[in-house]
Every structure is written in structure tokens, then in C-alpha cells.
Amino acid sequence: MHRQGFPHRHGGSRVEYSYQNPCCNALGGFCFGMFLLFLSIVGLWYNEGVAVQTAQSLDEGLQLVAHVDSETLDPANHGKLVHVSGKLEGLPVLEDQELGLSASASSFERIVEMYQWREQKHTRNDKMPDGSTRTETWYTYSQEWSSSQVNSNHFHDAEPYMTNPHAWPLRSSSQHAHSANIGAHKVSSSQLSRIGTARSVGVQALLEGTGKAPIGIESSKKKKDDMSRTKRRGADKSVDNTAARNKAMASFNSYNLQIRGGSLQSGNPGHPQVGDIRVSYRVKNPQQASIVALQTPHGFEEFEAPSGDVFDLVEEGIHGPRHMFAKAQTELQIRTWAFRMFGWLAMFFGLYMLTSAPLAFVEAIPLLGGFTAGVLGSITCLASLLISLGLSLVIIAAGWLWYRPLITLAIMLAAMIPSFLGYRNVLSCRAQQHPQPPQQQSSNYSNPPPRQPTTPTASAPKPRKKRLPEPSAPDEPPPYSYGNVKHD
């Protein structure tokens, strides 16, 4: 860390201090958390709708697409979704007018960088005993290559010699082909811009080309074919190549540029100074292409599927329609899951800001405020993580239920089958482990058990019932008599 007053090579630095009110920070965090929560809910719902519509459109396109011959343009296919693949022809020669370099490509880009001073800002936050936050800010300066203008007038604490030039001798530029052909079919500039990837190419390779694709981009077989074709053309072509090289070298000298590796650079390459420039090139030169789009008399246009989505598919190389639609589906899934992760993270940070806003007041409590706020902050972080995960899954499921109700219900029923079978298996295992005890006979004669019916046999006579003697009345004592009077 550099400090003002100390000598150093790359400039000075300045330290600034600022204090922030915890109540203002809590209110700002609460409002921003509400915004993130709303944005995540709307974004997750919208993402599911777009994913479902695009997937349905791609499935419909795969059912409707028809492969056509690239060498013939059949008017019967106008207004239909077609698939064409073949060699990409008719690429124009794109030329850098200032430096005289050219290449036959769909995109030709010149990148100009200047060695400049750049300011870097550093901050550090410290918690104060009263709950406020002290922010320490300082600036450092360094020299580096940059393709954009760095305005040194906005530096905070720069030395007088830390100034960047305002005028550039050269600026970055790019050129693009307006059209090309695949057989009899015309490819538009917007479709060409999505075919292939740009590659860095050295200046020496561009000098050796004569309006063709630069060396290092083509395959070895293509190089041999071009070399044999150049030999058959004679010495006139080599004369034109020499003239183009001399013109380019003169342009280099006018800008004080020298070939250093694969680029052009002014000044001393080993010790660049502020104001030196460096020039490099990127070229896009696809040789073959495959397209799935709506055929028209003037070329290709985007196809509108019955589901409402509009698309056209382009890819470098020779590929069939199934491969192109499968790749589009894979890219859609990757994009959908990326937006889901982004929506979940936005929801997590939104909930965390909402729940942690009151902690600013807890932190202002003397002595135990910092420790209590730290514990509660960990709890709110974990709770926000779990709640955001569950809520995002609910929103995604609700989106599927809204946009694809039949498929969602089928998936839910299929998911319930293993749970139902597992529940039945658990019940059967419990029944085997804990059998029910046998019922004991009740001694209550008011509800006796039913008698078993018996069938009499001929050999066994019925037993006779023995008649018990009737009980006799007890003997009564004789009456007492006293004279003629009887007393019972």
C-alpha cells in the first residue's frame, strides 16, 4: 500500500475516511432487499414461461423442418422451415484502409491498445464501538495496456506526470461481410455474425495473404490446394502480392509501427512508454455452415413456431437438423438453469438483507451488541438460505403447473407412486414384526359364546336327565297351649 509523501515509481495514493450511520444502512438494505426479492420472484416465473415456450417451439420446428438441396432454390419451399448445409462461398475481401492489410472473411477486427496510466480504488470497512462504520479509501496507480481511453483528468491523487494522451493515432475498428452464399441460398449478415468464432491471427500471416483467408486459420489441405493453385497462376499474382506488402509496410512506417511477434507495436517493445500503441487482429473465416430457417426468395428469415416463439438456427460445419435442434435444447436447458441459480441467489440476498436490517440496531448495544449481532446474523443467514431455496422451488413448480399443467400432474402422480409403495411396505413389515395377541374368552355369562352345533349319532343314545328331589319344607315347632288358649 502506497501512502502520500513516500517516493515510488507508479504514483501516489491518498487515504480518505468516511462514517456511515447504521440506521441509514439498515433502511437502505431493507429497501434493496425488497427490490431483490420482487425481482427474483418475477424473474423465476418469467424464466419458466420462456423456457416452456421455447422448448415447445423447438419441438414443433423439429417436426416441421425439411432438408433441401443447397445447390437448387425451389420456389415450392418458400415460406417453409428448411435445413441447408454446405460450403460457405462468396465471402468478400475485408481491408484495413489505414494499414493496408486484408483478408477474405466474414469478420475482420483491428484491436488498438495504448499504454496508459490507470487508477485503482481500494476500500476497507471498520466497525466502530458506537455501531457506525468507518470506510477507509485509498488510490493506487499503475501502467498497463488498455483498448479504451483512460481520462487522467479524473484521477484523485495523481502526480503531475501521470497524464494520458487524449489523441490516438489509430482506433479500433471492425468490418463485417454483408452476405455470403451456401450454394444457391443467400446468407444474411446477421446470420453470418453468429457462424464461427473469431481467432487471433498474426500480422505476418496477413501479409502473406492476397485477399484470401489468413494462414493459420485454414486447414493444411486447404493450404496445399491454394499453394498449387498459386503456382499454376504464374508470376503475376506474386507481383500483386509484393505490391500489397510494400504498401502495408509503408503504412506501418508512417505510424512508427514495427512487427513484434504477432502484432504491431510502436516504441521500444521491451520498455513501453505511456502513449505507445499496440495493434492486433482477429478474423472470423468459417468454411462450412448449416442453417435452419424460413426460406424466402431473398434468403433466410426467422421462423415463427405455432407456440409463438421466433427462431433460426445457425452453426459452423455440416450438421443435420436433429443435431442442431438437440444443441438448441441443450443451450436452452443451460440458460434456464443459469437463470434459476441467479434467481435463487437474488432471493437469498434479498431475504438476508430484509432479516438482517434490524441487526444494525442490535449491534449498537454496548458491550454485547457485536457478539449478539454476529450470532443472530449467522442464524438469519442460514434461515434465509433455507427459505430462499424452498421458495424458489415452489415458484418453479408453480410455473410448471401454470404453463404445463398436464405434464406437471403426471410427474406428481409418478412421484407419488414410490412413496405409496414404500408406505405399504412399511405397514406390512410392522405387521409381521408385531403380531396381534389372541383374544381371551370373557367370563361374563350375560353374553356367552355361541354353541357349536352337534349332530347326534345312532349308536350313542341320549343321556337321561336325573331328576333331583324337591326340597322339603323345614319342620315347624308344635304350638304351645296354655289351657284352652293356643298360641302360635
Side-chain angles (χ1 to χ4, degrees):
M1 180 191 305
H2 299 299
R3 288 290 184 269
Q4 187 176 7
F6 288 84
H8 49 81
R9 181 179 179 182
H10 296 301
S13 63
R14 183 177 63 183
V15 179
E16 298 177 350
Y17 296 98
S18 62
Y19 294 87
Q20 300 176 2
N21 191 342
C23 297
C24 296
N25 293 339
L27 181 60
F30 183 83
C31 296
F32 189 67
M34 288 291 294
F35 172 74
L36 284 181
L37 184 60
F38 175 77
L39 182 65
S40 62
I41 294 174
V42 175
L44 286 173
W45 184 273
Y46 177 76
N47 180 50
E48 297 305 315
V50 171
V52 170
Q53 181 179 354
T54 305
Q56 291 178 350
S57 300
L58 292 175
D59 293 338
E60 294 168 353
L62 182 59
Q63 300 296 328
L64 298 175
V65 67
H67 176 74
V68 297
D69 187 12
S70 60
E71 300 299 330
T72 58
L73 185 62
D74 190 0
N77 294 324
H78 291 344
K80 296 182 180 179
L81 185 65
V82 298
H83 166 261
V84 179
S85 60
K87 183 179 179 180
L88 197 62
E89 300 173 340
L91 290 176
V93 176
L94 305 178
E95 183 179 2
D96 184 359
Q97 299 293 335
E98 286 82 3
L99 298 181
L101 298 176
S102 62
S104 176
S106 62
S107 175
F108 188 59
E109 182 180 4
R110 180 184 68 194
I111 304 173
V112 180
E113 300 172 291
M114 178 178 285
Y115 203 64
Q116 305 176 79
W117 285 102
R118 180 175 292 276
E119 181 184 71
Q120 293 181 350
K121 181 180 179 180
H122 308 272
T123 58
R124 185 177 64 188
N125 297 326
D126 296 327
K127 294 293 183 180
M128 304 303 293
D130 58 351
S132 62
T133 302
R134 187 187 69 171
T135 303
E136 180 183 2
T137 305
W138 69 95
Y139 304 88
T140 58
Y141 301 88
S142 60
Q143 297 174 353
E144 59 184 35
W145 293 99
S146 177
S147 59
S148 60
Q149 175 72 39
V150 180
N151 192 353
S152 58
N153 294 332
H154 296 163
F155 288 170
H156 290 78
D157 191 27
E159 299 293 341
Y161 60 87
M162 296 180 184
T163 57
N164 295 325
H166 295 281
W168 289 43
L170 287 172
R171 287 288 187 177
S172 299
S173 63
S174 60
Q175 303 180 41
H176 304 278
H178 296 289
S179 63
N181 299 320
I182 299 180
H185 300 267
K186 184 178 180 180
V187 184
S188 64
S189 59
S190 61
Q191 293 168 343
L192 279 175
S193 62
R194 292 181 288 149
I195 300 176
T197 56
R199 303 176 178 89
S200 300
V201 60
V203 176
Q204 191 64 36
L206 290 174
L207 284 173
E208 295 177 359
T210 54
K212 302 178 184 178
I215 298 176
I217 300 297
E218 307 174 13
S219 61
S220 58
K221 181 178 180 181
K222 184 75 166 48
K223 295 177 187 177
K224 294 180 180 178
D225 295 342
D226 289 345
M227 292 176 63
S228 60
R229 196 178 295 111
T230 303
K231 291 180 180 179
R232 291 195 299 267
R233 289 177 182 174
D236 293 338
K237 194 66 179 179
S238 61
V239 173
D240 295 339
N241 185 26
T242 302
R245 289 171 59 91
N246 293 335
K247 179 182 177 181
M249 294 301 296
S251 300
F252 298 165
N253 294 331
S254 63
Y255 290 98
N256 193 20
L257 296 175
Q258 300 177 0
I259 301 177
R260 302 293 181 183
S263 61
L264 298 170
Q265 185 173 336
S266 63
N268 187 358
H271 301 281
Q273 301 296 324
V274 174
D276 292 348
I277 63 172
R278 184 172 62 183
V279 183
S280 59
Y281 289 89
R282 291 174 61 86
V283 176
K284 185 189 296 184
N285 183 32
Q287 300 297 317
Q288 296 175 333
S290 300
I291 296 179
V292 173
L294 185 70
Q295 179 178 319
T296 63
H298 306 289
F300 296 106
E301 294 181 358
E302 292 182 336
F303 173 75
E304 184 176 358
S307 297
D309 199 18
V310 179
F311 68 91
D312 62 341
L313 307 179
V314 294
E315 190 173 351
E316 184 180 7
I318 304 297
H319 303 285
R322 291 189 176 275
H323 169 82
M324 298 182 68
F325 277 97
K327 184 178 180 181
Q329 291 280 11
T330 303
E331 293 176 351
L332 174 64
Q333 293 177 1
I334 295 174
R335 187 168 60 251
T336 301
W337 278 104
F339 274 100
R340 286 172 180 171
M341 290 296 298
F342 176 77
W344 169 69
L345 289 176
M347 183 177 294
F348 165 70
F349 284 111
L351 289 174
Y352 180 70
M353 289 182 178
L354 287 176
T355 55
S356 61
L359 297 181
F361 302 96
V362 177
E363 194 174 3
I365 300 176
L367 299 179
L368 298 178
F371 175 77
T372 306
V375 174
L376 294 178
S378 302
I379 296 174
T380 54
C381 181
L382 181 60
S384 301
L385 178 65
L386 297 178
I387 294 174
S388 61
L389 182 60
L391 186 57
S392 60
L393 292 177
V394 169
I395 295 174
I396 293 172
W400 268 77
L401 185 61
W402 176 264
Y403 293 105
R404 283 186 173 183
L406 297 179
I407 296 179
T408 306
L409 292 176
I411 294 175
M412 292 174 62
L413 292 176
M416 292 173 61
I417 291 175
S419 301
F420 177 73
L421 296 178
Y423 180 72
R424 289 189 59 185
N425 189 17
V426 170
L427 290 181
S428 61
C429 292
R430 288 183 177 178
Q432 293 177 3
Q433 293 178 359
H434 304 284
Q436 295 182 356
Q439 296 181 355
Q440 297 181 358
Q441 185 176 359
S442 177
S443 60
N444 188 7
Y445 291 98
S446 63
N447 190 14
R451 295 182 178 180
Q452 298 293 336
T454 57
T455 56
T457 58
S459 59
K462 293 182 178 180
R464 295 181 179 181
K465 294 183 178 180
K466 295 182 179 181
R467 298 182 63 182
L468 298 176
E470 295 182 359
S472 60
D475 297 336
E476 296 181 358
Y480 297 97
S481 59
Y482 298 92
N484 295 328
V485 182
K486 296 182 180 181
H487 296 278
D488 293 336

